[in-house]
């Protein structure tokens, strides 16, 4: 019995909102070591940027991500500052 290879993944264009938000989260990979946590936070922040989700401070707490080497409040402030650069 064999398995098929996984399906191909299509990357978002560099100029898309999705790519920008997920890149911001990836920049904090030393503070968010778990890959699934980064993906979950990226999705929550993407929803926030579309006007459907919670701000970073609430999203970090509700996503229940593991944060290392920095406080949750400080991480939320840094992410919020980066998100403001995107929306300008």
């Amino acid at each position: 019995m064999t398995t098929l290879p996984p399906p191909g993944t299509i990357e978002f264009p560099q100029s898309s909102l999705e790519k920008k938000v997920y890149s911001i989260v990836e920049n904090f990979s030393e503070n968010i070591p778990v890959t699934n946590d980064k993906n979950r936070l990226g999705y929550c922040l993407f929803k926030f940027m579309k006007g459907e989700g919670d701000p970073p401070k609430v999203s970090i707490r509700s996503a229940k991500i593991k944060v290392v080497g920095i406080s949750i409040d400080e991480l939320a402030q840094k992410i919020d500052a980066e998100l403001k650069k995107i929306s300008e």
Side-chain angles (χ1 to χ4, degrees), residues 28-65:
F28 294 101
S29 61
E30 62 187 30
N31 301 114
I32 308 169
V34 181
T35 304
N36 286 342
D37 287 351
K38 288 184 276 194
N39 290 335
R40 190 168 44 252
L41 181 60
Y43 178 74
C44 291
L45 295 175
F46 171 67
K47 296 288 276 185
F48 169 68
M49 293 299 289
K50 287 179 52 181
E52 300 173 6
D54 296 321
K57 188 172 184 176
V58 176
S59 295
I60 291 172
R61 292 185 191 278
S62 65
K64 298 180 182 177
I65 63 172

Side-chain angles (χ1 to χ4, degrees), residues 4 6-8 16 19 24 27-28 36-38 44 48 52-53 58 65 68-69 79 81 84-86 88:
L4 297 173
S16 71
K19 185 70 169 183
I24 288 172
N27 289 340
F28 294 101
N36 286 342
D37 287 351
K38 288 184 276 194
C44 291
F48 169 68
E52 300 173 6
V58 176
I65 63 172
V68 177
I79 289 175
K84 286 181 182 175
K85 289 179 188 176
I86 289 177
E88 294 176 348

